[in-house]
Every structure is written in structure tokens, then in C-alpha cells.
Amino acid sequence: MSADDGLRAVCRPGAGRAPIEVWAPLAEHVAVEWSPAVPEATDRSRQVRRDDMTAVGDGWWRWEPPSEAADATLDYAFVLDGAEPALPDPRSAWQPEGVHGPSRSFDPSHFGWSDDGWRGPRDGHGVLGGVVYELHVGTFTPEGTLDAAAGRLDHLVALGVDVVELMPLVAFPGRWGWGYDGVDLYAVHDGYGGPEALQRFVDAAHARGLGVALDVVHNHLGASGNYLSRFGPYFTQGHHTPWGAAVNLDDAGADHVRGFLVDSVLRWFRDFHVDALRLDAVHELKDSSPRHYLAELSDAVTALAAELGRPLDLVAESDLNDTMMVTPTAEGGRGMTAQWDDDVHHALHVALTGERQGYYADFAGGAGRDEGGPLAVLAKVLTRGFLHDGSHSSFRNRAWGAPVDREHLDARRLLGYLQTHDQVGNRAVGDRISATVTPARQAVGAALYLLAPTTPMVFMGEEWAASTPWQFFTGFEEDWLVEAVRAGRRAEFGLHGWASDEVPDPQDPHTRDRSVLRWDEVDDEPHARVLRWYSACTALRRVLLGDQPTRLADVAVRADDADGWVVLEHRPAGRAPYAVVANLGAEPREVPLAGGGAVLLAWDLDATSVSGTGVTLAPDTAAVVALA
């Protein structure tokens, strides 16, 4: 990526007659259709002008706005070789008329930031070890906007959150959707408030000591409004993904495509002051180049962090179960700050619910596995990082993953969680774990991941055992795409044994409406008690773990599937040791624990006691105790 390419990421058209540029190496002629933006106008055709663009080399085209466009916000689109309709800018900052409409210029420098003293999450320590909160803007509040979400930030502060992770915000088809079918990687979805609303949200978060992470998708684009292939070789038939042809990272023209993606990342950090990015399904970034795209991205972000003087983090969603993802680039790794660890979720979910269909089968243990039952599997995951660490995965029908270096890997580089958007929303009816287990049993799972040495992540509403489901919803306009999504969902759920007639219609507006959090229930029982538990766990985490690196080698987990108990003992270097003790059995039980001391936290304090031989707990409860 050249310096000139990098400038194109931040100097998009705005006030002051900045030039409009586009990379369109496949075109022999490019024109720009433009007009001053008039948001209330209903007939743009009377205002539109068309000017030829100038080829400036290497596939780039440029247009200098005339004097009458000075200081004006412009609506504009590109005409390639005379073909209609005009197409939005691949680097559009704003699509106020949707993904098929014209782009609108946006000057990010106009915003009046108030975060000059911001040093990054946790006063400069970054994401690692902090409490992350995954949030979907469209269902976090009834309004479904960034401004409305900002009005709930004080709740997250009280909960003990350090970093708010926003699910994808880039422009996607329709008003409502999950965002993973976005098609304009530089634009903020207009339904959420557009680009300045994101600036307001980040500024408000920083004012409260909260970092902000964005979930971005570089492995594919959505099917509706995806015009990139009309401009250049953004995709390649040399690799394929579940969504079709792969993003071009190693074929002809790949240098420009890689620059396009890297520029978008640097722009979120520089122009919108975000602190971290979560990169979706990086295992589908197919790249056989000598230097992998993720390593290039990591080094570019590291350089920008040094320039800005604050930590900038990259968190990968990877299905590979390989910590090469978080190994520094200087050591041949991908250089990510951290990676999601789905094995933590799967092990906790099976242990708490007893489900064992689909990919949960291995996590139930039993025949053909060495670990034992579900609690023994959970013990392995909490001490080894992954269940599949080179062992056989029956779901994939092959060996999977690689061992974790328990002695040297900073365990905070693995994110653990009880729920995520995927693990809730990709169930047939989007039911949360709180629809299956008691609040007390959910509290057991929460304590085990919130007080583990890994970095914890809470899914919105989990902290009060929200009664609302979180379902899959879309807003497509094309009938063929609507039916394809419906059929695909039914087929996928059939593999898990769920009846197709249970699956909500993604296009039904009520599917989104059912998924909106009900804030009026937060103060009611049992929701309020669950919220108090989560808040107490996050507060205790700060006391017990601080900001120091952690090691899986300092964790010992004992479990008994027959009697239903599990103990996580953590003896972090230089910190006070502690244990999370849980009774998942149906009867009160003394859970064996030598050297236990004061009870630091208990779901049922009156029924919890510590003796010289163990901790007595009521059924389905957990406690945290100090260790000698």
C-alpha cells in the first residue's frame, strides 16, 4: 500500500472541493453524476449533472469539483463506460438513500471531539483482560440508532464494561439487519444515524471511560448492492468461501484490494477514534501470498497506534483453534491482539444445558473421547484453551486445532463467553440460555468465564437474563434473495434437529421487533438479581486480576461429572489466589476444596459455607472463595 493509497482512505470528498477519486481499472471511461445534497428533495433527477473523470494512472480516475460545488455536501455516483444505473462509490462514507443510491460526501474533520485526553480502554491497557460487551445497535433500544444506544451507556459503566463492541455498522440493505451482509465498507448505515452519529457515540463512550470496538467483515460482501466487481478485481475465482468467490488477496490486482481493506481499517481508528476492531471469520480470508493479509493489516495498525499514542487492537473471529493468529508478526504469526474462543462457549453451554446436537456432540464427552463427561471437557477447555487442540472433531470429521502454549501465551488473548450473536441468533427461535436454565445456573456459567484468566465478553441483555429472544432478521428487497435466505435457514436448522416450522421469517418486521431488549424488566426479579451478580463478578475481576498478563498454566480445574461439581482454582503470579466453586447437582453438596478461606461472592450466601475440606453449596449455585 503506497502513501498515496493511504491518503485516499482519509481524504474522501467533503467541503473545500476535495477531489473525488475511484479505482476502476476495468473501465475505459468513467463519469461522475453529482448534485448538491438536498436531503428533503424528492426528485434528484432535475439537479444531477454529469462530468467526465480523468484517468490518472494505475486504474485510478479523478474529478475536481467545480467552484460552485465549493463548501457543498455532494451526492454523487459513477457511470462506468456509459452503463446505467450510476453506481455508488466503493469508498462511500454515507449512503442516505440505501445501498443502491448515490453516495454522499462526508468530512470527518468537522466533528468537535472532546476526547483529547483519551489514552485507550482501561487507561491505556487496551482490550486485553477487560470486559467486552457485544451490542447490536438495531435491537439494543426500540429506536435502533446510535444516539439511542449512547443513552444507555451509563448502564454499561455500572455493569463494569470496559469495551463496547458494536456489531457491523457498514451500510447494508434495508432498514434492519444483522449487518453481516454489508456492501459499503467505508459507510455507516444511515438507519443507525450515519457517520456523524458514530462519532457522537464514540465521543460519548470515551467520556464515560468506555472503549469502542467495531465488528467488520472483510471475508465477503452481501449479495444486494455489491457493485465492487463492476469496478475492479475485488474478488477471485482462485479461492472460494461459503459466500462464493473469495475476496481477492493474492491474485492480479490484489495489492489494490488489500490497500482498500487496510485503508478502511485505518480510517475507523483515525477518523472515528474507535479503539478496536473485531474481524469476522478470518479463516475465510483466503491468502496464499508470502505475507498474509492479516499480518500486513496488523503491522499497519501497529504503526498507526504509535502515531496516535494509544493502543489499537484487532480481535479475530477464527475457527482454526490456533494461537498462530495472536502470535506477533515478527515471529511469523498473524499479529492479532486476541481471538474469539468458541470452545469456551460450547463447553459451558453443554455443561449447563445438556444439549449435544451438531457441533455440541464432542463437548458432551463420553464414548470416543478421553476427557470424560461435559464437566471434564469444560475442565480441559478452561485449562488448555481449546477442546480441539489437535484432537479429533467429529463435527468436522478430522483432527482440528493446535495445542496452546500454557506457559507463555497471555491467556487474555483468548476471549471467552457464554453467549454471542451467533450462538443465540443462529438457534431456530433465537432463544437465549436464560430460556433453558435457571438464573442460578446461568450465574454459574457467568462466574466461570467472567473470573477465568481469559478476556470475557458479555452479549447484550445476557447480564440480566433478558426475556427477549435474539432472532435472525433481514430487510432485503429482492424476492429471490428473500427466498434463498429462508430456504438456507430451514436447511441449516434441519441439521440440528430443529423443525423448519419453528423458524421465524427473517423478513417479517416482527422478527426484529421481538429481538429488541426490554429495558423495563431490568429492575424486576429475577432479572435484577442476575444483573447484580454480573456486576459483582466484573468488579471482583478487577480486584483479583488487575491489568497484568495471565497464564493458563496458573489455572487448575477439577470436575466430577457424577456428582455435578466443578472447581476453577487460579493462582495468578503476584496476585491473591482464588477459586470459583460450582455445584450443578440437584442436591446441596460439599465441593472438595483444600485451603479455602473467605467467601468473596456467593449466589446464595446463606447456604454457602467453607470448611477445612470444602465449600458447601446449594444446588445450581456458585461461589468465589479466597485461597490460602
Side-chain angles (χ1 to χ4, degrees), residues 73 80 152 154 240 294 333 377 382 425 444 454-455 532 546 555 583:
T73 298
L80 306 180
R152 293 291 181 179
D154 289 338
H240 289 271
L294 289 177
V377 169
L382 294 177
V444 171
T454 48
T455 295
R532 290 193 298 271
V555 177
N583 175 19

Side-chain angles (χ1 to χ4, degrees), residues 13 48-49 60 62 101 142 182 187 204 207 212 270 299-300 336 342 347 441 491 509 516 533 575 616:
V48 173
R49 292 173 51 176
W60 285 92
R62 177 179 295 166
V212 177
R270 189 191 297 276
D299 288 345
M336 301 292 99
D342 271 354
R441 200 169 181 87
V516 175
W533 177 260
R575 313 285 300 188
T616 299

Side-chain angles (χ1 to χ4, degrees), residues 229 233-241 243-252 286:
S229 61
Y234 283 91
F235 301 91
T236 173
Q237 294 294 332
H239 303 289
H240 289 271
T241 74
W243 306 282
V247 173
N248 179 18
L249 300 175
D250 58 7
D251 208 340
K286 309 295 187 180

Side-chain angles (χ1 to χ4, degrees), residues 59-243:
W60 285 92
W61 302 76
R62 177 179 295 166
W63 173 73
E64 298 282 350
S67 58
E68 60 264 35
D71 300 321
T73 298
L74 302 181
D75 286 340
Y76 67 101
F78 300 119
V79 180
L80 306 180
D81 293 328
E84 301 289 349
L87 304 177
D89 186 353
R91 297 187 181 223
S92 170
W94 194 1
Q95 292 293 124
E97 297 180 36
V99 298
H100 305 290
S103 302
R104 177 164 295 172
S105 62
F106 172 73
D107 188 343
S109 67
H110 285 174
F111 186 74
W113 291 96
S114 64
D115 65 349
D116 288 346
W118 178 250
R119 297 177 56 199
R122 299 162 60 244
D123 200 25
H125 290 281
V127 167
L128 291 184
V131 178
V132 181
Y133 188 92
E134 189 185 22
L135 180 161
H136 178 263
V137 171
T139 52
F140 190 60
T141 65
E143 299 87 348
T145 64
L146 284 157
D147 288 333
R152 293 291 181 179
L153 289 176
D154 289 338
H155 166 84
L156 303 186
V157 173
L159 174 60
V161 169
D162 297 296
V163 178
V164 185
E165 179 184 304
L166 302 176
M167 287 176 58
L169 298 175
V170 302
F172 57 82
R175 173 65 178 92
W176 304 116
W178 278 20
Y180 294 96
D181 49 8
V183 291
D184 295 288
L185 300 190
Y186 287 63
V188 179
H189 184 53
D190 187 67
Y192 291 162
E196 188 169 317
L198 177 58
Q199 292 180 315
R200 291 193 297 269
F201 181 91
V202 173
D203 201 48
H206 287 177
R208 292 163 172 80
L210 295 169
V212 177
L214 299 187
D215 190 341
V216 299
V217 184
H218 288 178
N219 53 61
H220 75 287
L221 273 76
S224 177
N226 176 7
Y227 299 108
L228 287 185
S229 61
R230 300 274 295 277
F231 288 86
Y234 283 91
F235 301 91
T236 173
Q237 294 294 332
H239 303 289
H240 289 271
T241 74
W243 306 282

Side-chain angles (χ1 to χ4, degrees), residues 316-333:
E317 181 200 21
S318 172
D319 184 48
L320 302 179
N321 282 24
D322 192 336
T323 57
M324 171 269 295
M325 194 62 62
V326 294
T327 299
T329 59
E331 299 174 19

Side-chain angles (χ1 to χ4, degrees), residues 383-399:
T383 55
R384 302 282 174 178
F386 304 126
L387 171 64
H388 297 126
D389 54 1
S391 63
H392 182 77
S393 165
S394 63
F395 182 72
R396 302 177 180 90
N397 195 29
R398 57 171 293 189

Side-chain angles (χ1 to χ4, degrees), residues 246-327:
V247 173
N248 179 18
L249 300 175
D250 58 7
D251 208 340
D255 287 348
H256 286 280
V257 178
R258 292 164 76 108
F260 169 79
L261 295 174
V262 173
D263 288 351
S264 72
V265 165
L266 301 183
R267 176 176 173 273
W268 295 126
F269 287 131
R270 189 191 297 276
D271 293 346
F272 292 88
H273 293 203
V274 303
D275 303 285
L277 297 185
R278 182 261 190 188
L279 306 176
D280 182 68
V282 297
H283 49 277
E284 296 296 348
L285 293 169
K286 309 295 187 180
D287 185 8
S288 58
S289 304
R291 187 182 183 216
H292 195 279
Y293 162 71
L294 289 177
E296 177 182 343
L297 178 63
S298 174
D299 288 345
V301 170
T302 297
L304 181 60
E307 177 188 330
L308 298 180
R310 59 187 176 90
L312 303 175
D313 293 313
L314 297 173
V315 180
E317 181 200 21
S318 172
D319 184 48
L320 302 179
N321 282 24
D322 192 336
T323 57
M324 171 269 295
M325 194 62 62
V326 294
T327 299

